[in-house]
Amino acid sequence: MPNDARFMASYHALLKAYGSQGWWPVAGRHGGKPEYKQRKRLTGRQKLEIMIGAILTQNTSWKNVEKVMVQLHSRKLIDDKKMLVVSHKKLAALIRSSGYHNQKAIKLKHMAQFLQQHPLRQLGQMDVEKVRILLLDVHGIGPETADSIILYALQKPSFVIDTYTKRIFSRIGMCREDVKYDLLRMQFMDNLPHDTILFNGYHSLLVEHAKQHCRKMPLCEGCPLLKQCDYGRKKQKESVSGR
DNA sequence: GCCCAGGAGCCCG
DNA sequence: CGGGCTCATGGG
């Protein structure tokens, strides 16, 4: 299969425009306000925090999740065993502001249960695709959540596809709008070196780009991907030919 | 009030 | 397999 240089080219264009975007927001070890920090090693608690955040942020803005994370910290609930003990009612009430709280409370418990059978230490030693299969088997963990956990918590190279990634790459003409998750993921992984830092940085840049320019209603002015974007070029042409 | 936000499960043909 | 529905809160 030929190597498609456009994947790397888009990365460099985004990096140049937005700069290095850092990692998943992880609270400092004293709890408190989450901040973007580049860490070489993560503690087990930080990994668990990322896994919890990955579930809570499903179809939800991170802003809404932040408040919940502070709550969970102060109740000392960033702990898989405690999460299994606390009642569904109490847990759901605590995570209320992240939305879908009833479903997410169930999902968190399933994940905590999963960690009893497969502790982080064990997952850390496994091959990416193998962990992925295990994670996908957990109720509440779909493909994006699984890849987020693998990439950001386990720090292994699994490319995360989200609505932003699909939106950006379908607009620039590199995939269909309704592309299947696993297909787009494979395209990224077939055309990029499998490097955690790269996958992490790339995905973070896509998030930033989707917020700044490639919104649902796109702001094409000053877009760093304009030159490689079908949609942007088409729009430019229209404005030149009058209207 | 409306729209949207870093999805996933379930049900049904 | 794939489309359609449901789950819920908070910010712009």
Side-chain angles (χ1 to χ4, degrees):
Chain A
M1 190 188 277
N3 190 60
D4 189 339
R6 293 178 298 173
F7 285 91
M8 211 54 194
S10 298
Y11 168 73
H12 284 301
L14 292 172
L15 181 61
K16 190 176 170 190
Y18 303 113
S20 189
Q21 287 304 303
W23 299 63
W24 188 276
V26 176
R29 77 175 42 128
H30 305 297
K33 243 192 143 167
E35 50 187 44
Y36 286 90
K37 272 213 172 142
Q38 187 159 343
R39 279 172 206 281
K40 203 122 175 88
R41 295 283 297 177
L42 294 169
T43 66
R45 191 170 304 281
Q46 288 172 326
K47 291 181 186 178
L48 181 59
E49 176 180 344
I50 291 169
M51 295 176 76
I52 293 169
I55 289 192
L56 294 181
T57 198
Q58 286 171 0
N59 204 31
T60 304
S61 69
W62 183 254
K63 269 281 177 203
N64 283 3
V65 177
E66 269 181 9
K67 291 175 229 151
V68 173
M69 296 310 293
V70 171
Q71 280 300 305
L72 292 178
H73 267 291
S74 65
R75 309 284 172 118
K76 306 293 179 197
L77 270 172
I78 312 287
D79 179 316
D80 48 342
K81 291 192 171 59
K82 285 188 188 164
M83 191 154 277
L84 283 172
V85 174
V86 68
S87 73
H88 169 88
K89 240 185 144 149
K90 201 172 268 183
L91 183 57
L94 270 171
I95 66 172
R96 183 175 176 279
S97 68
S98 72
Y100 309 111
H101 52 279
N102 283 314
Q103 290 195 349
K104 284 175 179 174
I106 296 171
K107 293 178 179 183
L108 287 178
K109 290 207 170 239
H110 277 277
M111 187 179 68
Q113 183 57 46
F114 167 76
L115 286 173
Q116 307 311 301
Q117 301 164 339
H118 301 281
L120 283 171
R121 202 148 319 162
Q122 181 193 336
L123 298 177
Q125 294 174 318
M126 295 165 73
D127 177 77
V128 168
E129 298 305 321
K130 169 127 187 171
V131 194
R132 193 167 190 269
I133 290 172
L134 284 181
L135 287 171
L136 287 175
D137 215 40
V138 180
H139 176 93
I141 299 184
E144 185 190 334
T145 307
D147 290 326
S148 295
I149 289 172
I150 297 171
L151 183 63
Y152 289 99
L154 303 180
Q155 297 175 292
K156 293 172 184 291
S158 191
F159 207 94
V160 177
I161 305 298
D162 51 29
T163 47
Y164 293 158
T165 315
K166 284 186 189 173
R167 185 196 298 162
I168 294 168
F169 272 72
S170 62
R171 278 198 187 137
I172 67 182
M174 288 182 60
C175 71
R176 291 170 54 93
E177 207 176 332
D178 59 351
V179 63
K180 299 274 121 204
Y181 186 99
D182 286 331
L183 175 61
L184 187 53
R185 172 174 179 266
M186 277 205 288
Q187 290 182 343
F188 273 93
M189 296 190 60
D190 284 345
N191 292 292
L192 293 171
H194 288 201
D195 182 297
T196 301
I197 308 283
L198 172 65
F199 284 9
N200 190 325
Y202 202 160
H203 177 243
S204 307
L205 284 166
L206 289 169
V207 172
E208 192 60 26
H209 180 54
K211 288 179 176 166
Q212 296 214 18
H213 287 281
C214 213
R215 307 178 180 174
K216 198 144 210 175
M217 187 57 74
L219 297 174
C220 295
E221 196 179 319
C223 171
L225 295 183
L226 201 56
K227 269 183 279 195
Q228 43 226 334
C229 181
D230 283 356
Y231 179 87
R233 275 197 305 262
K234 206 181 298 172
K235 225 175 106 169
Q236 268 194 328
K237 206 176 281 183
E238 282 172 9
S239 68
V240 167
S241 66
R243 254 170 15 121

